[in-house]
Amino acid sequence: MSGRSTTLRAAAEVALGRQRAPQHDSGPHMVPYLRAANVKDGVLDLSDVKEMNFTPAEQQTFSLHPGDVLITEGSGSISAVGASAVWRGEIDGVVCFQNTLLRLRPRDDRADGRFLEWWARSTFGSGVFASIASGANIYHISAERVRALPIELPPLEEQRRIADFLDAETSRLDDLAKTQVLLIERLKEREGVATELTLSNASSSSVRLKRMLTVPMSYGANESTEHDRRDWPRYIRTTDIANDGRLRDETFASLPPDVARNYMLSDGDLLFVRSGATVGKSFVYESQYGPAAHAGYLIRARVNRNLTLPRLIWHFCQTAKYWQQVDEGAIQATIQNVNAEKYGNLLVPLVDRERQHSTLEILDSQLATSRILQNRAKQLLELLAERRQALITAAVTGQFDVSTASGRCVTDGVTA
């Protein structure tokens, strides 16, 4: 790539948006405005666009033009600060922007807007924006620090070739990624269908969950202070239960023995999340996890092993039939809630006793195969994301000539 090294201020006008204040919440010149919440990495989320009063003079200063690059100037997450997207005039009329965003407007004689778009994506993905951020609870990159960032600026014609190349090549990678996402979705669907079919073939009846327990369902400990004592009983919370049915080791917490005493779990106890975004998620506690008690937002079901194996019920809890019952039994308040009574009334298949162990082996095997395939697809998604970022960075920094690149393996041997 032929060009020169300069700073962003030479390629674009970098402006900070208008600060939100109570006096701007109403007035005669209300117009839509974009804020940090509307900008994701490469995508504008326009599902929630708010309005503020901008005077005609302010509209001249803070309005957006098609091709403007918007960058998140401030964020509570270091991984989100610097995310960018391009305004393409998706909303008719005047649209302005808030001071949680920076606006990059290319200087016509020096920079192409689409090239700046890819430069911003490269700078975000490679961690440069995060490296210049400052702050504690809220991270800021500031307009002045962004203006001073280095940029390789080739002639306009070459900038357009680079943008055309990245449009085409990232689209190919995105199509591959969509295929893997679809594969994961289909595997999850098949997983549930196969489980339902296996349980249906092995069951002659269904019974209420409460009829399969040795004691009534119970809530856990409401402990506000958590500890990290490995010699104390583990304190299992909703955040400790992973989607794949395992217990996360990285979120360990414990309870004092005198507090945990009344909430200790036994091998095979089922735990159900009773409220919040993960309501309905389930987990089978096993003695291999060590002594443990459960939190108040988890409901314990102690299964009668003379009737069924606990993991058979857990497998059923991964099916559409289970989730349909959870949704029907949920109490819609501020947050979704399913109490012990509702869980107790769930209809659960009762596998014929002589077929329980063989059925469990089939279910475990089916699940393991499905999860292996899903993990492979997720690994490929990660590889595609890495290749995509390397491709963008290599192209905008001139590590290869896009006019001769085929788009296949063009990042081999280059650094992101």
Side-chain angles (χ1 to χ4, degrees):
M1 177 172 72
S2 60
R4 64 189 180 92
S5 298
T6 184
T7 57
L8 184 62
R9 60 166 44 90
E13 169 202 314
V14 182
L16 185 66
R18 211 273 301 277
Q19 184 175 1
R20 186 183 178 192
Q23 65 265 30
H24 303 314
D25 289 344
S26 61
H29 306 289
M30 299 295 287
V31 299
Y33 72 93
L34 300 188
R35 62 201 198 281
N38 300 118
V39 177
K40 314 300 181 186
D41 180 23
V43 178
L44 284 177
D45 179 0
L46 302 178
S47 61
D48 180 20
V49 176
K50 300 185 182 300
E51 292 189 347
M52 269 199 294
N53 185 66
F54 288 82
T55 66
E58 289 173 327
Q59 291 179 29
Q60 290 293 322
T61 302
F62 298 107
S63 63
L64 298 174
H65 298 171
D68 284 346
V69 180
L70 294 170
I71 297 177
T72 302
E73 191 282 329
S75 175
S77 169
I78 191 68
S79 63
V81 70
S84 66
V86 177
W87 173 250
R88 306 188 193 280
E90 290 89 340
I91 299 174
D92 293 335
V94 175
V95 178
C96 297
F97 69 111
Q98 189 196 2
N99 68 337
T100 54
L101 294 175
L102 295 172
R103 181 190 64 197
L104 271 58
R105 181 167 290 168
R107 302 190 189 280
D108 292 339
D109 58 337
R110 300 181 185 178
D112 177 80
R114 290 168 56 238
F115 177 80
L116 282 183
E117 172 187 355
W118 287 113
W119 174 87
R121 298 286 298 278
S122 169
T123 306
F124 173 69
S126 59
V128 173
F129 282 135
S131 72
I132 67 170
S134 63
N137 296 326
I138 302 294
Y139 299 93
H140 295 276
I141 54 178
S142 91
E144 191 55 39
R145 287 196 290 269
V146 171
R147 292 186 187 106
L149 286 174
I151 182 173
E152 295 292 327
L153 204 60
L156 280 171
E157 184 178 348
E158 191 169 351
Q159 290 181 39
R160 296 185 184 109
R161 283 202 304 269
I162 291 171
D164 289 341
F165 172 83
L166 288 175
D167 284 346
E169 298 308 321
T170 58
S171 179
R172 293 182 187 181
L173 293 174
D174 290 343
D175 287 343
L176 289 173
K178 289 176 184 176
T179 300
Q180 297 308 306
V181 171
L182 183 61
L183 174 60
I184 292 171
E185 292 174 354
R186 293 291 181 267
L187 286 168
K188 288 180 178 178
E189 291 173 3
R190 284 189 57 190
E191 186 178 294
V193 171
T195 297
E196 285 187 17
L197 182 60
T198 301
L199 288 172
S200 176
N201 289 337
S203 305
S204 56
S205 63
S206 295
V207 298
R208 302 288 180 187
L209 178 59
K210 61 186 177 183
R211 306 299 181 196
M212 306 173 77
L213 308 179
T214 58
V215 294
M217 302 183 82
S218 62
Y219 299 98
N222 290 311
E223 179 67 16
S224 58
T225 303
E226 298 170 2
H227 308 270
D228 188 18
R229 290 276 302 268
R230 298 283 168 165
D231 57 330
W232 283 359
R234 183 168 189 164
Y235 186 39
I236 299 179
R237 304 151 299 173
T238 56
T239 53
D240 299 322
I241 300 174
N243 290 329
D244 60 2
R246 68 179 180 87
L247 198 61
R248 293 191 178 98
D249 290 330
E250 64 272 19
T251 57
F252 180 88
S254 61
L255 282 179
D258 59 327
V259 176
R261 183 179 301 112
N262 295 326
Y263 307 99
M264 295 298 291
L265 296 170
S266 297
D267 186 74
D269 280 351
L270 279 165
L271 294 177
F272 295 93
V273 177
R274 69 170 183 168
S275 63
T278 58
V279 64
K281 184 187 288 187
S282 59
F283 169 73
V284 180
Y285 168 78
E286 298 176 355
S287 57
Q288 65 182 11
Y289 292 116
H294 62 297
Y297 283 101
L298 292 170
I299 300 174
R300 185 201 69 193
R302 183 157 292 166
V303 177
N304 185 344
R305 290 174 177 270
N306 291 322
L307 293 177
T308 190
L309 300 174
R311 274 190 62 81
L312 287 174
I313 299 178
W314 179 83
H315 275 288
F316 173 72
C317 294
Q318 315 311 308
T319 68
K321 286 184 178 180
Y322 164 79
W323 286 106
Q324 181 179 355
Q325 292 185 72
V326 169
D327 291 340
E328 291 172 351
I331 300 171
Q332 298 291 342
T334 306
I335 56 176
Q336 197 176 39
N337 182 74
V338 178
N339 59 29
E341 180 183 2
K342 299 293 184 181
Y343 275 120
N345 282 320
L346 291 174
L347 277 173
V348 177
L350 181 59
V351 177
D352 298 339
R353 185 159 183 79
E354 67 277 6
R355 302 180 64 180
Q356 288 184 10
H357 288 283
S358 60
T359 300
L360 184 57
E361 288 180 2
I362 294 171
L363 291 171
D364 284 343
S365 177
Q366 290 175 170
L367 180 63
T369 300
S370 177
R371 296 294 164 86
I372 288 172
L373 295 174
Q374 290 178 49
N375 286 336
R376 287 177 180 171
K378 290 175 183 177
Q379 290 170 1
L380 183 53
L381 279 173
E382 293 175 359
L383 181 62
L384 287 169
E386 292 172 2
R387 176 57 59 90
R388 190 181 195 277
Q389 181 57 45
L391 178 66
I392 294 169
T393 300
V396 300
T397 57
Q399 294 184 39
F400 64 90
D401 183 357
V402 301
S403 62
T404 59
S406 68
R408 294 181 176 85
C409 301
V410 293
T411 56
D412 289 350
V414 303
T415 57

